[in-house]
Amino acid sequence: MTESLMNAADRWRPLTELLQALLERVAGELPGCLGAGLTVSHGGRPLQVLATAGLGEYLVPAQLRHGGPVTVADATGEPVATDELFGDARWPGLTGESVPGGTAVRGAVALPGFWDEHGVFVLSATLDRPPGSTTLPVLQRYAKLTEMTLVVAETATAGDPDQMLDLLASRAAIEQAKGALMAVRRCPPEEAWQTLRRASQEFNVKVRELAIALVEHLGGHTTTQPAGTPEIHPGEPARHAAERLWSAFTAVSS
């Protein structure tokens, strides 16, 4: 589905303009920001650049080629920050020599997120100084808007009404589970999402089924799913995974 999203960005000017405006607002709120970028991936495919602002036009593609906060955030599912983008031992191949304006670059930060069960994005920014205490919170605030924008764009370009309904149903299920995990674990949304994602991979079940099974396990009853969307019925493997996940939480907290 990333291809449809990329095609939409190419053909649908309002989406391109919206993403560009979003990144420019991110850059405007971050002191010393030199550029910002949005990369997307779906189903484990390589990251692709969807939109950039400022030096992000050069720095984001350079990171996809040589490594950097963007690629590490995508691989780990965790926010990544650095005080020195060029010279960080985590991505030795990335240098500023071939990047226009690279001599002004100091710090950088990248924040991963998702817009559906298999769709991952990374919102990133590059600075002329080390990241400050407000840098990540600003990205986190705009990550929610980015997520909503990608959901709308993906559903609008899917073409198949059933596919659109499936996407919306999956989204609702995952949000319910994320909310439950955030309440129980007192963790941020990114950690809740990564917990679901890792568990689905470990137990080889779909994230959407695990999400519903977990909410039903915690609530002790069948969940009410959005009207008009296809119902998601967790199988026995998903219910077993949810029970194991909850047992692990209980063991850690006890």
Side-chain angles (χ1 to χ4, degrees), residues 145 168 194 207:
L145 181 57
L168 293 174
Q194 286 304 317
V207 174

Side-chain angles (χ1 to χ4, degrees), residues 229-251:
T229 61
E231 287 197 18
I232 300 171
H233 300 287
E236 194 56 39
R239 296 191 182 281
H240 173 70
E243 292 175 6
R244 291 284 301 275
L245 192 58
W246 178 246
S247 295
F249 290 162
T250 305

